Amino acid sequence: MILFMISSFYKKNSVFIKKILLLTTSVAAMCTVLFSCASAKTAEPALNPVYVTNTKKINLLPPKYMSGQIDSMQLLNGKFGKESFSLLAYIHADQNEIFLSLLNDFGTDMGNLVYDGVSAEFDSAVFPAALKAEYIVADIQYAFYDTQKIAENLGASKLGFAVISGGDGTEIRRITNGTKLIAEIEKKTGSVRITNFLRGYEYNLLEGE
C-alpha cells in the first residue's frame, strides 16, 4: 500500500521532483566549485610587501636575481638604537633560496629564516613576532642581489638606488627617497655593513675565516 502511494505521488509530481533534483544538483556543484576556489586561494602563500619608507612599499625579488652564491658562517654584529647584539649567522643564498640560521655563542638556535620566492618564514623564540621575514630578506637582497633588478624594483615605487664602486674593491649601495638617504650598504672583501637611517638600525656581517 505504501509503495503504491509513493508510486502514485511520483507519477503526479514527477516534473516537480525532477526540477527539485536538478536544482539540488546544481547547488551542490556550485558549492563544490566555490569551496575549491576558496581552498585554492587559502593554500596560496602570500608575501607581505616591504615598506621602504612609511608610505612607499616594494615586493621582494625572486631568488633568481641573486648575484653569485653565499654559503658561509659569519659574525653578525647588530645595533638598534642604543641596543646592540652579536650572533653567529650561517647564510646560504643562491638562485633558488635564502636560508639564514642564527646562533648564539653557545651554539643555541636563535632563529631560522627561509625564503624561496613563494613564501618567507622567520621562526624564532627570541626575536619579536612583529619582525617580519620579508624585511630581513629585503636587506639581504639590497646587499647581494643584481643591482639593475634592485634599481628597477625600487624605481617602480619612486625610490632611488645608486651604486658607487671604489678602487679598492669597495662597493656602496644607496637607497634614497628624493634627496633623503634611507639606507646604505657598504660591501668590502669579507664584510658587509647595512645601515638603515630611517629605521635606526645597523648590522655588520663579517665572514669567518
Side-chain angles (χ1 to χ4, degrees):
M1 183 66 178
I2 294 175
L3 292 175
F4 175 75
M5 291 173 64
I6 293 173
S7 177
S8 299
F9 177 80
Y10 179 77
K11 287 179 180 179
K12 292 180 181 180
N13 300 278
S14 60
V15 175
F16 176 73
I17 292 172
K18 287 179 180 177
K19 287 182 177 180
I20 292 294
L21 290 173
L22 181 60
L23 178 61
T24 303
T25 303
S26 299
V27 171
M30 184 173 64
C31 288
T32 300
V33 172
L34 289 174
F35 280 122
S36 296
C37 291
S39 299
K41 289 180 179 178
T42 302
E44 290 180 5
L47 285 167
N48 294 306
V50 173
Y51 279 85
V52 182
T53 71
N54 294 333
T55 58
K56 296 182 178 181
K57 60 186 178 180
I58 62 169
N59 293 316
L60 294 176
L61 292 167
K64 66 181 179 180
Y65 295 127
M66 170 70 183
S67 294
Q69 179 175 316
I70 303 171
D71 189 36
S72 64
M73 183 68 77
Q74 306 198 19
L75 177 63
L76 171 63
N77 294 316
K79 183 169 63 175
F80 184 80
K82 295 181 179 179
E83 301 293 327
S84 60
F85 61 89
S86 182
L87 296 170
L88 291 174
Y90 168 69
I91 303 177
H92 175 84
D94 57 21
Q95 284 74 31
N96 297 309
E97 67 172 357
I98 293 174
F99 174 74
L100 171 67
S101 181
L102 300 175
L103 308 168
N104 64 15
D105 293 339
F106 300 101
T108 303
D109 183 10
M110 301 292 284
N112 295 287
L113 170 79
V114 179
Y115 171 66
D116 60 3
V118 178
S119 63
E121 296 180 9
F122 182 57
D123 179 23
S124 174
V126 180
F127 289 90
L131 179 58
K132 289 185 173 16
E134 288 86 352
Y135 285 78
I136 303 174
V137 173
D139 280 342
I140 295 174
Q141 292 193 350
Y142 298 149
F144 300 109
Y145 273 37
D146 180 84
T147 55
Q148 182 178 344
K149 293 301 178 181
I150 297 172
E152 291 173 359
N153 199 30
L154 290 167
S157 296
K158 309 298 182 183
L159 293 163
F161 183 71
V163 180
I164 303 169
S165 298
D168 58 351
T170 300
E171 180 182 270
I172 295 176
R173 301 180 175 194
R174 288 177 177 159
I175 299 171
T176 55
N177 181 25
T179 58
K180 185 175 182 179
L181 180 60
I182 302 298
E184 181 177 272
I185 300 93
E186 182 183 51
K187 300 175 66 178
K188 295 180 179 180
T189 302
S191 71
V192 176
R193 177 179 56 82
I194 300 173
T195 306
N196 191 307
F197 300 101
L198 180 64
R199 308 298 181 195
Y201 69 82
E202 174 185 323
Y203 48 84
N204 294 272
L205 285 167
L206 302 173
E207 190 170 350
E209 296 180 355

